[in-house]
Amino acid sequence: MKGKIIAIMGASRSGKSYLAKKIAKEFNAELFLEGEEGEFPTRIVEDIQKNIRPLERILWFRDMLIKRYVKALELKKQGKNVVLDVFWLSNDLFFDVLLEGFELELMRERAAIDRMLLPFPDLTIFLKTSEQGIRNFVTLGGRSYDQSEEVLIEQLLPINDMHEKFFANPPTGLHVLTIDRTHKDFDREEDFAEVLSTAYSALRSID
């Protein structure tokens, strides 16, 4: 199989990074992760925790994700597989939750330009997650900035809803494999084998 880019999408705390690590190992792929709390600037952590300065948060993540995606495209040209736990399109699904007015229009225009210039991954795996699933992962994840009920209600759950709406009617050219996370444990051999089998089938169908 020639070089492929596989991206994992889903709401915050849906288990994207964990699945990305396992798939990258299986595909002998380069791995790009969004990062954990200690890897984000202190100011960005504060933005999330206090739900302030949303535009700078959106811009910081947008720039970081595009830089990583450009590297992923370079690796793909070299015939290498790449797995990302988010990619540049992920950022767009935060707009309507965090922004309004002129700032919202500003980022929508920038997002439209990004879509014209950047290709989609070869395969996007969407982790569909329930509210209870997000609550469980918040507890297990141990991030200090998303432990409060306020962050859950004002940010995590609305962003989860945006993902569900988006993937109910994804854009043309975005090849999506939806995995319902509700009763799946990727540490369970049969659950992970099912994901791999469907991912391989999806990639063969678009080769």
Side-chain angles (χ1 to χ4, degrees):
M1 183 174 67
K2 62 183 180 180
K4 301 289 186 186
I5 296 178
I6 302 171
I8 318 291
M9 284 185 69
S12 303
R13 317 315 290 146
S14 59
K16 299 187 298 293
S17 298
Y18 188 69
L19 180 60
K21 291 174 186 177
K22 292 180 73 72
I23 289 180
K25 184 177 180 181
E26 181 69 24
F27 279 81
N28 190 29
E30 300 285 337
L31 177 64
F32 290 84
L33 298 177
E34 179 184 36
E36 292 299 329
E37 180 174 354
E39 301 172 81
F40 298 155
T42 301
R43 185 178 174 94
I44 296 299
V45 173
E46 182 184 40
D47 289 351
I48 300 170
Q49 189 173 37
K50 297 180 180 179
N51 200 17
I52 56 176
R53 300 184 294 258
L55 181 60
E56 74 172 25
R57 186 194 333 172
I58 290 283
L59 285 170
W60 186 85
F61 276 103
R62 178 258 181 196
D63 292 351
M64 180 267 289
L65 293 175
I66 287 182
K67 287 175 185 176
R68 291 186 180 183
Y69 201 75
V70 168
K71 290 181 182 178
L73 290 171
E74 292 172 355
L75 290 168
K76 178 183 174 178
K77 286 182 181 178
Q78 298 169 21
K80 298 178 181 179
N81 295 321
V82 183
V83 176
L84 309 98
D85 65 345
V86 288
F87 78 105
W88 55 269
L89 183 62
S90 307
N91 205 39
D92 296 9
L93 303 188
F94 287 69
F95 293 173
D96 288 334
V97 176
L98 299 179
L99 302 174
E100 59 184 15
F102 179 75
E103 291 183 350
L104 178 59
E105 293 306 313
L106 183 69
M107 286 311 305
R108 281 178 175 166
E109 289 180 10
R110 183 170 291 216
I113 294 170
D114 292 342
R115 290 196 191 198
M116 286 190 289
L117 298 177
L118 295 167
F120 290 137
D122 296 284
L123 179 65
T124 299
I125 299 175
F126 167 48
L127 294 183
K128 185 176 180 179
T129 314
S130 66
E131 176 179 339
Q132 188 56 53
I134 291 176
R135 288 182 179 276
N136 292 342
F137 275 105
V138 165
T139 301
L140 292 171
R143 288 175 172 173
S144 67
Y145 58 77
D146 63 9
Q147 295 293 307
S148 72
E149 185 71 8
E150 183 179 5
V151 170
L152 183 81
I153 297 299
E154 293 183 358
Q155 299 182 60
L156 302 187
L157 294 182
I159 289 165
N160 187 48
D161 289 342
M162 288 300 300
H163 278 77
E164 294 220 13
K165 291 175 183 176
F166 177 82
F167 282 103
N169 186 29
T172 302
L174 185 68
H175 300 287
V176 179
L177 170 61
T178 297
I179 303 293
D180 191 335
R181 198 71 180 83
T182 306
H183 301 296
K184 282 192 168 44
D185 180 351
F186 298 137
D187 277 333
R188 215 161 33 218
E189 185 176 344
E190 59 269 28
D191 286 351
F192 184 58
E194 180 184 345
V195 173
L196 283 180
S197 175
T198 50
Y200 275 118
S201 295
L203 286 168
R204 284 194 295 269
S205 72
I206 60 177
D207 229 343

